[in-house]
Amino acid sequence: MSLRFSGAQLLCKNKCGFYGNESWDGYCSLCFKRAKREEHKKEENSKSESPKSTSWFDFSEISLFGEKRKARLSLTSAFSSGSGSSSSRSPEAEPTPKADLISRQLLTLVDKQSFDFVAKTKKKNFTPEEFGDFITSFYDALAEAIRTKEDDDETISLCMDRAEANITSEIYQKLFAQEEDEAADIDLQRKIRALHWIGPAMVGAKLDRGLPEVKLLIDDAVTNFLQTNSSELPREKLEHLSAACDCIMQSLSISTSSSPSADDLLPALIFLLLHTNPPLFKSNLALIRRLSQPENLRSGKLAYHYCSICSAVGFIERGITEAELNLTKRQFEQFQKSEARPPTALMDFDFTTMRKTSRIVDIFDVDDDEVSSPALERLRHLKLQNEEFFSKAKKIKEELTSFSMHVQKEVSEISEKYSIAPDEQSENPQ
Ligand SMILES: [Zn+2]
């Protein structure tokens, strides 16, 4: 058994084409919401005595992309309620230079609706995850509202960035590093600490740490992982995570002299996490999930990188076993207790040999797409050595046979030449 990954695992399990996330049961945010709504409906149907919704959030209030007309109607009601009290409030967020591209009318709409939304959340008593769902619904509804006035995608995305900045400054504290997240942070850090001895090759990460260029890129990736915690905006956090992934993809490509695939990224991310052990990492991932504009987590590069990282974290959280690392239980325990260090041959791939074969897949004579493991490589190496040994042994055996035949021949020639007759007396004593 070894670590094996497929990029397909990252997609929403509803096969809608968006990226999924473990925290949404493997769905994307849209399908998760839909699934939850279905579940909610079923529950409502079974509770025949209570027809009124007692749920924390009525999903019919803000509808999804498919039902535009209804969405617009519900939007008007959702945003007009309670607006009287907060309409005089001026937006606190500094307008960005990019905001010049957005019309005054749109700016007012975005700011007003963001701050009305923030005001609404103050009355609710949500768990962080419920809060996150509520925020996603707000963004979806806001995007719909903007689309009725503007169809340029770039302008819409600028408006959404502004809304994100508006609500982040107001509700960041409520959504970041809550009790549960902090427990998850500590748990992840503890698990990583126990695996600090793992080398890239042990998890199948094709990173050549011997190359200075690769080393620098790994350092950059580490810095980006750490900076995720120092930026506040979910978008900035996402960009740092994505930059880390870019560095890793680049170092994979330099290490293997080929273009890496999604299946190469995951093991390399697992190694990066083990190597960095970033603080408050689960809290940051959770904050991004709760507070990001949903579009950034559904499709595109940011979403792909975010969900790859979540998947790598999930892998470590579930616990990496000795079998997955091709180690014996005893070895695993020794390495964990720092009683022994894994040999270099196990820690890093032999890239010099790999590069000699021009393409990295050439030495893995399995499928091109399959990720090899250090153990598999060692086996192949052993097999080669074995074959060499046997061919040498065969040769020696042949040489020995010919040698002994040669000696026999010489002995008989000599004895014939000198015709030494056997001593009869000594053969039959007395
Ligand atoms: Zn989906």
Side-chain angles (χ1 to χ4, degrees):
M1 195 177 163
S2 64
L3 296 172
R4 205 152 283 177
F5 302 99
S6 161
Q9 288 164 358
L10 301 177
L11 292 172
C12 166
K13 72 177 179 191
N14 215 16
K15 298 193 172 85
C16 68
F18 287 143
Y19 291 110
N21 193 294
E22 281 182 30
S23 306
W24 290 321
D25 297 341
Y27 290 116
C28 67
S29 60
L30 274 179
C31 293
F32 177 66
K33 211 154 72 175
R34 219 169 270 149
K36 238 178 148 181
R37 196 169 43 172
E38 290 294 311
E39 208 176 277
H40 179 66
K41 255 188 213 161
K42 266 186 217 157
E43 265 173 35
E44 283 301 297
N45 287 345
S46 63
K47 280 186 276 170
S48 49
E49 324 109 297
S50 52
K52 266 194 180 172
S53 166
T54 50
S55 156
W56 55 270
F57 184 71
D58 186 1
F59 281 112
S60 60
E61 192 181 332
I62 297 171
S63 71
L64 303 172
F65 291 136
E67 304 149 35
K68 286 195 180 176
R69 226 178 72 83
K70 214 174 133 201
R72 239 166 272 160
L73 279 174
S74 61
L75 256 180
T76 342
S77 57
F79 291 120
S80 58
S81 63
S83 64
S85 55
S86 52
S87 59
S88 55
R89 178 179 188 156
S90 58
E92 280 156 21
E94 282 284 306
T96 56
K98 277 182 187 168
D100 294 346
L101 299 168
I102 313 172
S103 72
R104 199 78 243 139
Q105 189 204 11
L106 262 185
L107 269 186
T108 317
L109 173 96
V110 170
D111 289 343
K112 183 180 175 307
Q113 296 201 343
S114 323
F115 290 113
D116 282 356
F117 172 75
V118 171
K120 260 177 104 178
T121 64
K122 287 188 175 141
K123 293 171 203 150
K124 310 252 182 186
N125 202 7
F126 286 141
T127 68
E129 286 312 312
E130 288 167 346
F131 212 142
D133 290 344
F134 194 58
I135 292 167
T136 304
S137 302
F138 158 73
Y139 280 127
D140 282 338
L142 179 66
E144 277 301 320
I146 296 168
R147 237 171 247 131
T148 61
K149 298 184 193 311
E150 174 65 57
D151 48 18
D152 175 49
D153 283 342
E154 212 193 321
T155 313
I156 294 172
S157 126
L158 284 175
C159 288
M160 295 307 287
D161 284 349
R162 189 177 171 90
E164 187 180 285
N166 286 345
I167 69 169
T168 298
S169 60
E170 295 285 327
I171 49 189
Y172 184 92
Q173 290 310 326
K174 281 188 190 163
L175 296 178
F176 186 70
Q178 295 304 302
E179 224 174 280
E180 237 174 84
D181 304 328
E182 276 194 317
D185 286 331
I186 291 165
D187 184 55
L188 179 68
Q189 285 207 292
R190 189 179 49 79
K191 281 186 172 137
I192 289 178
R193 221 173 295 130
L195 296 169
H196 69 276
W197 44 271
I198 288 181
M202 298 174 101
V203 286
K206 298 172 195 164
L207 295 168
D208 188 354
R209 297 189 288 181
L211 294 177
E213 235 181 321
V214 170
K215 255 188 141 172
L216 279 177
L217 281 165
I218 293 178
D219 285 348
D220 276 354
V222 169
T223 310
N224 271 301
F225 259 11
L226 297 174
Q227 280 171 339
T228 309
N229 191 42
S230 45
S231 34
E232 193 183 56
L233 277 179
R235 198 195 161 81
E236 284 170 7
K237 287 182 192 287
L238 269 176
E239 276 161 2
H240 279 303
L241 293 179
S242 186
C245 289
D246 281 336
C247 292
I248 286 300
M249 285 304 263
Q250 231 181 310
S251 45
L252 282 168
S253 145
I254 294 170
S255 300
T256 62
S257 321
S258 64
S259 43
S261 70
D263 300 357
D264 295 323
L265 178 63
L266 278 166
L269 284 176
I270 290 174
F271 170 72
L272 184 66
L273 280 166
L274 297 177
H275 180 65
T276 315
N277 202 356
L280 296 168
F281 205 63
K282 285 287 286 179
S283 286
N284 278 292
L285 292 178
L287 183 102
I288 292 170
R289 193 177 62 243
R290 292 165 191 155
L291 199 49
S292 272
Q293 30 181 319
E295 202 49 43
N296 287 346
L297 295 186
R298 282 175 191 152
S299 56
K301 194 168 131 180
L302 291 181
Y304 168 59
H305 284 156
Y306 174 75
C307 101
S308 300
I309 289 170
C310 288
S311 177
V313 168
F315 198 88
I316 297 171
E317 280 183 311
R318 277 190 295 277
I320 298 178
T321 63
E322 66 265 16
E324 285 166 326
L325 298 171
N326 299 304
L327 296 174
T328 65
K329 203 172 171 60
R330 195 177 141 65
Q331 279 175 317
F332 190 76
E333 281 168 4
Q334 276 183 326
F335 298 155
Q336 249 180 349
K337 288 179 196 155
S338 298
E339 288 170 5
R341 275 186 64 80
T344 324
L346 266 184
M347 301 272 279
D348 289 273
F349 284 117
D350 179 5
F351 282 95
T352 338
T353 321
M354 279 183 183
R355 273 191 291 265
K356 265 187 208 149
T357 58
S358 76
R359 268 189 351 125
I360 196 159
V361 286
D362 291 348
I363 65 157
F364 308 131
D365 48 26
V366 206
D367 281 337
D368 273 18
D369 295 333
E370 234 171 314
V371 173
S372 180
S373 72
L376 200 53
E377 261 184 82
R378 269 163 60 224
L379 275 179
R380 286 196 193 112
H381 187 64
L382 266 180
K383 198 179 153 223
L384 267 179
Q385 279 187 324
N386 231 11
E387 282 164 1
E388 247 172 66
F389 172 77
F390 277 110
S391 80
K392 271 186 194 158
K394 208 177 146 197
K395 213 173 147 196
I396 291 171
K397 202 181 157 196
E398 278 165 7
E399 277 171 5
L400 258 179
T401 319
S402 81
F403 177 70
S404 75
M405 270 161 65
H406 185 75
V407 170
Q408 258 182 356
K409 199 180 152 215
E410 245 176 64
V411 166
S412 60
E413 270 172 8
I414 291 169
S415 57
E416 229 172 85
K417 195 172 174 185
Y418 297 99
S419 62
I420 303 166
D423 191 345
E424 281 174 31
Q425 273 185 337
S426 63
E427 249 189 358
N428 302 310
Q430 279 158 350

